[in-house]
Amino acid sequence: MQEPLLGAEGQDYDTFPENPPPSLGDRTRVRAPQNKRVFLATFAAVLGNFSFGYALVYTSPVIPALERSPDPNLSLTKVQASWFGSVFTLGAAAGGLGAMLLNDLLGRKLSIMFSAVPSVAGYALMAGTRGLWMLLLGRTLTGFAGGLTAACIPVYVSEIAPPGVRGALGATPQLMAVFGSLSLYALGLLLPWRWLAVAGEGPVVIMVLLLSFMPNSPRFLLSRGRDAEALQALAWLRGADADIRQEFQQIRDNVQRQSSRMSWAEAREPHVYRPIAIAVLMRFLQQLTGITPVLVYLQPIFNSTAVLLPPEEDAAIVGAVRLLSVLVAALSMDLAGRKALLFVSASVMFAANLTLGLYVDLGPKSRTPNITVGLENASLGDTEQPLATPAGSLTLVPLLATMLFIMGYAMGWGPITWLLMSEILPLRARGAASGLCVLVSWLTAFALTKSFLLVVNAFGLQVPFYFFAAICLVNLVFTGCCVPETRGRSLEQIESFFRSGRRSFLR
């Protein structure tokens, strides 16, 4: 399946016409939005992803600090540390459930703004915590906010973006999440753990202030019968001089075809369940690559292996590499295409996970027993081999392999799964289905994050990495068999393709 979307006939127009390619001037007009306000609206929305990325890795520097805390109410045991690290994903799964309702009830923009309430409350609880329950509740609330924004922001961005730059703008949620994680790693070198929570409040407040001046999605407004507001929103996003009549009519026609509520019988139609199944499976496989446990326990993982640099510096370096990789993906997504980047991404992650597994299995061991990740007093991994002093070029392997893994994830399976989710889901099911994707994603993340510690303590740190490497091979096959290429296509064209029923899509 090399070109699954070429030549598919839609109901109302030629979805992917086999005409000669447009001239350079035409391509320029398609790719370059006439109005830069769409970038401002995108930035305002993706500040929610900044907070999400910041909150996700909050435990990386905080767990070691709390395990060393002299306060008995805050000193974490191994089991408590594992719950503190993993409960975020349960909150995110609940946020995905909330998005299934709020995305279509309040609209994309108001749902993103609503996420500020649990986010601010969660950070405040962690900043002023006096016991474990406040830490866990605060972590759960920030997770709920993250799950809500993870489902709403990609849909909002995809619905306001012109087709020519939707790939680049669709990568910005992941880019901002990575930037948020990097900011946490950097601030973790400078600030006490309580002030890290206080610092997390800032982006949330700025997001709410900026979004209050941004329009809602024209597609959502049309679905609510607010045609005049939708036209005004589209004109604001495209610019006063842009000719939006054809785009507005195409969006309105598509919304009118799907104005009624979807029945269970319709949900069993191939043009509905196929894109939903693809989006859900992509989110499931994305998490099975191991990205969440690696990010949550990044510094503790470095603590448990023989590394040349201090673990906290290694974590900051990996965060910087992740940011640069997502930036490269954002710039190349509309040039190289989605599928090509997914193939490269899965291949790179396979090589990195296999390397990490082999290093832990066969390489030198850390002289310092692990104090963070294990559930008991045993260190991560087998300690029967003689311990080696973390020196020499070989001890750079964990850092380089982790950088390679993060790089591979950030250039493909990180941002593109979110982008494709927002592109291929049918409009009538987009709000609920995006919430379902987030729910599946974060339930999977919770299972992995919680079981990661159990597996490591029972079998060694190398076993999870071997499993993640095997999943990356599955991702390669899935990409080749099931994932469509959506580069340069409008959301209406993509939806018309699924309605055409071409069996070649899944071949």
Side-chain angles (χ1 to χ4, degrees):
M1 188 189 77
Q2 297 300 319
E3 296 176 328
L5 295 185
L6 296 179
E9 296 291 333
Q11 291 182 339
D12 300 308
Y13 46 81
D14 187 7
T15 307
F16 294 82
E18 296 178 351
N19 295 331
S23 65
L24 179 60
D26 292 339
R27 288 197 300 268
T28 302
R29 284 193 295 273
V30 170
R31 289 187 179 277
Q34 297 176 346
N35 182 25
K36 307 304 180 185
R37 289 176 179 174
V38 68
F39 296 113
L40 177 60
T42 300
F43 173 76
V46 298
L47 280 173
N49 288 96
F50 179 96
S51 181
F52 168 70
Y54 187 98
L56 175 64
V57 300
Y58 177 75
T59 54
S60 183
V62 173
I63 286 179
L66 290 179
E67 287 190 329
R68 297 190 299 267
S69 174
D71 186 346
N73 294 323
L74 296 177
S75 181
L76 298 182
T77 66
K78 307 303 179 182
V79 173
Q80 290 171 340
S82 72
W83 275 108
F84 185 46
S86 59
V87 75
F88 178 92
T89 57
L90 284 182
L97 275 176
M100 296 175 69
L101 174 65
L102 296 177
N103 222 345
D104 290 325
L105 181 64
L106 299 180
R108 290 57 159 136
K109 188 187 84 166
L110 289 180
S111 296
I112 298 170
M113 296 176 69
F114 176 78
S115 71
V117 176
S119 183
V120 168
Y123 281 127
L125 280 170
M126 289 189 290
T129 186
R130 290 294 181 268
L132 177 64
W133 72 270
M134 295 179 70
L135 285 173
L136 295 181
L137 180 58
R139 185 89 170 128
T140 304
L141 287 174
T142 54
F144 181 88
L148 185 57
T149 56
C152 300
I153 292 175
V155 174
Y156 178 75
V157 171
S158 72
E159 290 186 351
I160 67 172
V165 294
R166 196 175 60 245
L169 294 184
T172 54
Q174 182 71 14
L175 179 64
M176 288 298 286
V178 171
F179 188 57
S181 298
L182 176 60
S183 299
L184 186 281
Y185 290 138
L187 289 175
L189 300 174
L190 305 173
L191 297 179
W193 62 271
R194 289 187 188 273
W195 283 101
L196 288 177
V198 174
E201 307 269 11
V204 180
V205 175
I206 297 173
M207 176 194 73
V208 172
L209 292 175
L210 287 178
L211 273 179
S212 63
F213 297 100
M214 300 299 118
N216 214 322
S217 159
R219 288 171 177 83
F220 171 76
L221 293 172
L222 281 169
S223 70
R224 291 296 181 266
R226 296 151 64 180
D227 291 25
E229 291 182 59
L231 182 61
Q232 184 179 8
L234 189 62
W236 190 91
L237 291 166
R238 300 294 182 262
D241 299 329
D243 185 0
I244 62 173
R245 290 173 297 178
Q246 182 178 359
E247 181 181 6
F248 182 78
Q249 186 61 43
Q250 190 179 76
I251 296 172
R252 183 165 62 181
D253 290 345
N254 190 43
V255 170
Q256 287 176 349
R257 285 198 304 269
Q258 306 181 62
S259 57
S260 60
R261 278 186 169 274
M262 181 178 295
S263 65
W264 283 109
E266 289 178 290
R268 293 195 293 269
E269 292 291 326
H271 71 272
V272 175
Y273 74 73
R274 281 183 182 177
I276 294 176
I278 291 171
V280 170
L281 284 172
M282 286 195 75
R283 301 295 302 139
F284 178 67
L285 290 173
Q286 181 205 52
Q287 288 294 343
L288 287 183
T289 61
I291 184 63
T292 301
V294 168
L295 290 178
V296 169
Y297 300 117
L298 184 58
Q299 186 172 322
I301 287 173
F302 284 136
N303 274 331
S304 68
T305 56
V307 290
L308 185 61
L309 299 175
E312 59 273 15
E313 294 182 14
D314 286 330
I317 292 172
V318 169
V321 170
R322 186 179 172 213
L323 176 64
L324 292 175
S325 301
V326 176
L327 184 59
V328 170
L331 297 175
S332 61
M333 205 174 294
D334 286 315
L335 299 175
R338 283 51 157 165
K339 290 192 68 172
L341 289 176
L342 286 174
F343 279 125
V344 173
S345 172
S347 301
V348 171
M349 287 192 294
F350 168 75
N353 277 318
L354 184 61
T355 301
L356 281 167
L358 291 173
Y359 179 84
V360 174
D361 206 5
L362 306 175
K365 307 301 174 184
S366 173
R367 185 176 295 277
T368 303
N370 174 61
I371 61 170
T372 305
V373 182
L375 292 176
E376 305 296 338
N377 292 326
S379 64
L380 285 175
D382 184 15
T383 56
E384 293 180 359
Q385 299 183 26
L387 298 176
T389 301
S393 58
L394 187 61
T395 55
L396 284 174
V397 170
L399 174 61
L400 295 177
T402 305
M403 289 169 59
L404 188 66
F405 170 73
I406 296 296
M407 184 186 303
Y409 174 83
M411 68 186 299
W413 276 85
I416 294 178
T417 50
W418 291 108
L419 174 62
L420 278 172
M421 178 191 78
S422 62
E423 287 183 326
I424 68 177
L425 292 177
L427 177 62
R428 293 173 65 187
R430 193 168 292 159
S434 62
L436 175 63
C437 289
V438 173
L439 174 65
V440 170
S441 174
W442 290 110
L443 285 179
T444 307
F446 171 76
L448 280 178
T449 308
K450 198 71 177 72
S451 62
F452 183 83
L453 305 178
L454 298 172
V455 171
V456 165
N457 191 60
F459 304 106
L461 183 59
Q462 70 277 10
V463 172
F465 288 119
Y466 288 148
F467 172 77
F468 300 151
I471 292 297
C472 292
L473 295 179
V474 176
N475 289 3
L476 285 170
V477 176
F478 180 81
T479 301
C481 295
C482 302
V483 178
E485 179 56 73
T486 59
R487 176 182 54 166
R489 313 304 182 187
S490 72
L491 299 183
E492 285 66 41
Q493 286 176 319
I494 296 169
E495 188 157 336
S496 180
F497 158 73
F498 281 104
R499 287 182 175 275
S500 71
R502 288 185 61 199
R503 295 182 61 82
S504 62
F505 172 67
L506 292 179
R507 287 208 297 265

